[in-house]
Amino acid sequence: MMFKSKKLSMNPNTTDTLIGEGTSFEGRIKSEASIRIEGNITGDIECAGDVIVGEHGSVKSNISARDVVLAGSVQGNVITKGKLTITSTGSLQGNISATSIIIEEGGQFQGNSKMDGKAPVKTPQSGEPENENKPASAANGSFGGNTVAM
C-alpha cells in the first residue's frame, strides 16, 4: 500500500535523470521527465520531457523527446514535438523531425530535416464550446514552428 502512491505521473519539466561525465551507458532509455546527458550513451532515448546533451556528452542513438538541446555530439535521428536547438558546440549527424529548429553559429548538422509547422489541433468535441477569440499560439505556448535561425 505504501508504494502505490508513488505512481503519480512525473512532471516533464523536471530533470530526473543525469548521465554524468565519465559515465557510459548502453541500452534503451524511456523517461517521463527530462534527461541531461554529460557522458556517453549508446541506445535509443524516448522521453516525454526534454533531452539535453551537454558539451561533453556523446550520444549514438535515436532521440524522441518534447524539446532537445544539443551542446555535445549526437549520431542518430532526432524527433521532437517542439524545438531542436543545436548550440555552437553541438553537432548532429542524422535526420531531424521538429516543429522548429535553431542552429547557433558554429553548430554542425549533417542530414535531412523535416519541419511540421502545424501544432497539434484540438478539435472540439460535441457539447464543448469552441473559443474563436483565443490566438492560435496561446493554445500551446509555442510559436507554431515558424522560428528558424541559422
Side-chain angles (χ1 to χ4, degrees):
M1 283 286 206
M2 197 166 106
F3 296 106
K4 287 201 176 209
S5 63
K6 187 81 170 156
K7 191 65 179 159
L8 297 173
S9 65
M10 293 291 299
N11 181 352
N13 296 321
T14 62
T15 300
D16 77 335
T17 303
L18 168 67
I19 306 296
E21 196 173 344
T23 301
S24 293
F25 178 85
E26 286 188 35
R28 184 168 181 255
I29 298 176
K30 187 171 182 181
S31 177
E32 294 296 319
S34 297
I35 300 171
R36 183 174 183 96
I37 301 160
E38 298 289 347
N40 300 314
I41 289 188
T42 303
D44 289 350
I45 300 169
E46 187 179 328
C47 184
D50 302 337
V51 171
I52 300 162
V53 180
E55 283 189 35
H56 302 290
S58 175
V59 177
K60 292 179 182 170
S61 74
N62 298 318
I63 299 173
S64 174
R66 183 178 60 182
D67 291 326
V68 177
V69 177
L70 304 180
S73 71
V74 173
Q75 292 179 5
N77 300 329
V78 176
I79 299 172
T80 70
K81 293 182 178 86
K83 177 171 62 176
L84 167 68
T85 304
I86 301 175
T87 70
S88 59
T89 59
S91 72
L92 172 62
Q93 291 183 348
N95 299 325
I96 299 171
S97 176
T99 304
S100 67
I101 301 167
I102 298 171
I103 303 175
E104 294 180 359
E105 186 175 351
Q108 299 176 1
F109 166 57
Q110 189 172 14
N112 296 315
S113 64
K114 176 185 166 200
M115 291 185 65
D116 186 9
K118 296 177 185 171
V121 178
K122 181 186 173 207
T123 55
Q125 302 296 320
S126 59
E128 283 186 23
E130 188 172 345
N131 187 354
E132 295 181 21
N133 298 329
K134 186 190 289 188
S137 64
N140 61 6
S142 73
F143 293 102
N146 298 327
T147 305
V148 176
M150 290 193 193

